[in-house]
């Protein structure tokens, strides 16, 4: 019996297998609007047999975008195209997820094809960034403005409104992006947070904003729909956020109705040494799953069916997320099924290719 192609039920939502397309920015939007690229890109991966496709980091506010090409969900018209995308993905018996994001001090960048460099606030296509503290990610960058009480309330309201729109658009899963050195990570990691108010200092204070936003999102996101949080399990840096901190955070997130921790790492400090190799983040997912007693997703250099199956069999994670491998191969699940000798349904239109 294989696990990779066995279903998983979370609340009222059934994942037909354990294969998930990891959220990946396409940097292809204008003013935050999705277009035909997203329909075809995300739609192909639904045709390809994935259980869940999580859409790229989708900014809850214009200043929360990594770049001016990011997708957004800060106004009602932003969900016109996603409705079409969700409808198509559902027609392929796949689930559609949205990652709700705010990049904080890592916002306001050029597109990767233009070098992905930071854009100064006064430059065309740039804007003033915000964060927990007025500390830039890189020393030579323009510093962010530390969020005051009003700014923190805005972040909370933006997440509430974005979640309501996500529900209206028909998404099945919301994932809060709290990893990779973006806004929530800038609060929970001591390496980015120098606040002296109730959002800084102790562990409880540093995780406060993420917990408050989680409560707000859970409150407006239907009870029967899964809520994921992506975290960076470690800063990979002495004195920074640790896996033990992540376990404690996961316990608190679970109490607030989070169903799964999507376990990534790093991104908060430019100079961290990350031992990137096959499955390098899997042990973090395993530790969080075991010690916080919550479902986890494993991600990071997981490329084959055998590797995925082993992670699941060893009880280290419940879902496997594929990033670059699913860019290389939109039909990854069909190829994984071949590898494991599992009979899965290809789309009727493709039966003769089997
Ligand atoms: C082009 C690209 C864009 C990405 N954008 C996002 C994103 O929007 N949100 C996110 O959490 N991670 C993002 N990531 C990270 C991936 O989701 C994934 O965690 C990472 O690539 C490691 O998995 P992999 O080794 O299977 O690629 C991105 C990665 C790539 C390659």
């Amino acid at each position: 019996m294989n696990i990779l192609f066995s279903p998983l039920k979370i609340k009222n939502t059934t994942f037909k297998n354990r294969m998930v397309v990891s959220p990946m920015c396409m940097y292809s939007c204008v003013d935050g609007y999705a277009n035909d690229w997203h329909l075809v890109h995300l739609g192909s991966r639904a045709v390809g047999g994935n259980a869940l496709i999580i859409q790229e980091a989708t900014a809850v506010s214009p200043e929360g975008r990594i770049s001016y090409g990011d997708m957004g969900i800060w106004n009602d018209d932003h969900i016109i195209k996603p409705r079409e995308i969700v409808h198509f993905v559902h027609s392929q018996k796949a689930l559609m997820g949205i990652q709700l994001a705010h990049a904080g001090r890592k916002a306001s960048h050029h597109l990767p094809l233009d070098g992905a460099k930071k854009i100064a606030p006064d430059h065309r296509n740039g804007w003033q960034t915000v964060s927990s503290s007025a500390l830039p990610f890189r020393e030579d960058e323009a510093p962010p403005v530390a969020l005051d009480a009003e700014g923190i309330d805005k972040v909370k309201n933006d997440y509430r409104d974005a979640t309501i729109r996500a529900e209206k658009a028909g998404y099945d899963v919301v994932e809060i992006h709290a990893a990779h050195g973006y806004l929530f990570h800038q609060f929970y990691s001591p390496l980015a947070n120098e606040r002296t108010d109730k959002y800084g200092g102790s562990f409880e204070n540093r995780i406060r904003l993420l917990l408050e936003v989680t409560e707000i999102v859970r409150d407006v996101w239907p009870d029967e729909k899964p809520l994921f949080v992506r975290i960076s399990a470690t800063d990979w840096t002495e004195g920074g956020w640790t896996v033990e901190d992540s376990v404690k955070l996961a316990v608190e997130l679970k109490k607030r109705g989070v169903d799964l921790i999507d376990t990534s790492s790093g991104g908060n400090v430019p100079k961290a040494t990350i031992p990137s190799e096959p499955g390098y983040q899997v042990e973090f997912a395993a530790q969080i799953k075991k010690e916080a007693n919550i479902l986890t997703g494993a991600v990071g250099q997981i490329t084959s069916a055998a590797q995925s199956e082993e992670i699941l069999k060893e009880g280290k994670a419940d879902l496997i997320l594929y990033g670059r491998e699913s860019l290389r191969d939109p039909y990854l699940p069909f190829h994984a099924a071949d590898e494991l000798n599992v009979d899965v349904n290809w789309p009727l239109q493709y039966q003769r290719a089997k």
Side-chain angles (χ1 to χ4, degrees), residues 21-27 55-58 66 99 175 177 179-180 182 230 262 264 280-281 299-303 321-328:
V21 176
S22 200
M24 279 177 286
C25 290
M26 295 284 110
Y27 304 105
Q55 171 181 310
E56 66 191 85
T58 303
I66 302 164
Q99 188 184 50
E175 172 166 284
H177 196 351
H180 303 165
Y182 296 122
R230 174 169 271 200
D262 175 3
S264 191
Y280 69 108
Q281 296 171 146
V299 66
Q301 291 206 41
I302 304 171
T303 50
L321 291 93
Y322 305 87
R324 289 158 292 178
E325 196 58 20
S326 75
L327 292 184
R328 293 175 201 117

Side-chain angles (χ1 to χ4, degrees), residues 36-338:
D36 283 346
W37 170 262
H38 304 93
L39 172 65
V40 174
H41 162 65
L42 299 165
S44 309
R45 280 139 190 90
V47 171
N50 290 283
L52 167 70
I53 295 103
I54 306 181
Q55 171 181 310
E56 66 191 85
T58 303
V60 299
S61 59
E63 67 277 14
R65 291 172 298 169
I66 302 164
S67 79
Y68 55 87
D70 289 22
M71 204 183 288
I73 186 161
W74 64 83
N75 80 48
D76 291 341
D77 288 348
H78 278 142
I79 60 171
I80 295 172
K81 191 70 180 181
R83 271 208 176 103
E84 190 187 337
I85 297 171
V86 170
H87 181 76
F88 179 77
V89 167
H90 285 169
S91 77
Q92 301 306 302
K93 310 262 179 302
L95 303 169
M96 190 65 205
I98 182 168
Q99 188 184 50
L100 296 180
H102 190 308
R105 67 178 181 177
K106 288 178 87 177
S108 185
H109 279 77
H110 282 290
L111 308 182
L113 60 93
D114 294 327
K117 280 251 161 50
K118 184 91 180 165
I119 310 181
D122 54 356
H123 189 281
R124 183 175 62 90
N125 288 333
W127 55 89
Q128 176 61 56
T129 61
V130 296
S131 185
S132 53
S133 305
L135 296 170
F137 177 66
R138 290 196 168 78
E139 278 168 20
D140 59 348
E141 290 175 355
V145 168
L147 284 167
D148 58 12
E150 203 181 314
I152 285 181
D153 279 349
K154 179 177 181 319
V155 171
K156 293 185 201 171
N157 288 333
D158 288 341
Y159 267 88
R160 175 185 287 109
D161 293 348
T163 308
I164 292 168
R165 290 189 189 104
E167 161 61 2
K168 283 191 184 144
Y171 290 96
D172 304 288
V173 172
V174 158
E175 172 166 284
I176 298 174
H177 196 351
H180 303 165
Y182 296 122
L183 187 67
F184 297 124
H185 193 173
Q186 291 158 31
F187 273 80
Y188 66 66
S189 169
L191 300 180
N193 185 339
E194 292 188 338
R195 298 177 78 96
T196 52
D197 64 359
K198 64 176 183 171
Y199 293 101
S202 66
F203 172 83
E204 287 68 28
N205 283 355
R206 283 182 279 113
I207 65 169
R208 189 183 306 280
L209 179 62
L210 175 56
L211 297 187
E212 287 177 349
V213 168
T214 301
E215 283 171 10
I216 288 168
V217 169
R218 186 72 271 183
D219 190 43
V220 291
W221 185 237
D223 287 345
E224 72 278 7
K225 289 193 179 185
L227 174 61
F228 295 3
V229 177
R230 174 169 271 200
I231 63 167
S232 279
T234 171
D235 279 335
W236 296 108
T237 304
E238 187 95 18
W241 181 258
T242 65
V243 193
E244 290 68 36
D245 291 331
S246 295
V247 170
K248 287 200 291 176
L249 171 63
V251 168
E252 294 306 317
L253 290 170
K254 186 180 177 185
K255 281 187 206 157
R256 287 159 179 84
V258 170
D259 299 290
L260 181 141
I261 303 294
D262 175 3
T263 313
S264 191
S265 74
N268 191 37
V269 222
K271 283 187 204 122
T273 315
I274 302 180
S276 183
E277 59 183 24
Y280 69 108
Q281 296 171 146
V282 171
E283 291 309 318
F284 304 141
Q287 190 174 341
I288 292 169
K289 180 172 165 61
K290 188 162 163 242
E291 295 178 15
N293 190 23
I294 187 166
L295 300 178
T296 57
V299 66
Q301 291 206 41
I302 304 171
T303 50
S304 75
Q307 185 192 8
S308 308
E309 186 62 19
E310 196 180 316
I311 296 165
L312 295 168
K313 275 227 167 87
E314 289 177 348
K316 292 181 169 173
D318 302 278
L319 291 176
I320 309 288
L321 291 93
Y322 305 87
R324 289 158 292 178
E325 196 58 20
S326 75
L327 292 184
R328 293 175 201 117
D329 183 1
Y331 306 115
L332 188 62
F334 295 141
H335 296 137
D338 277 351

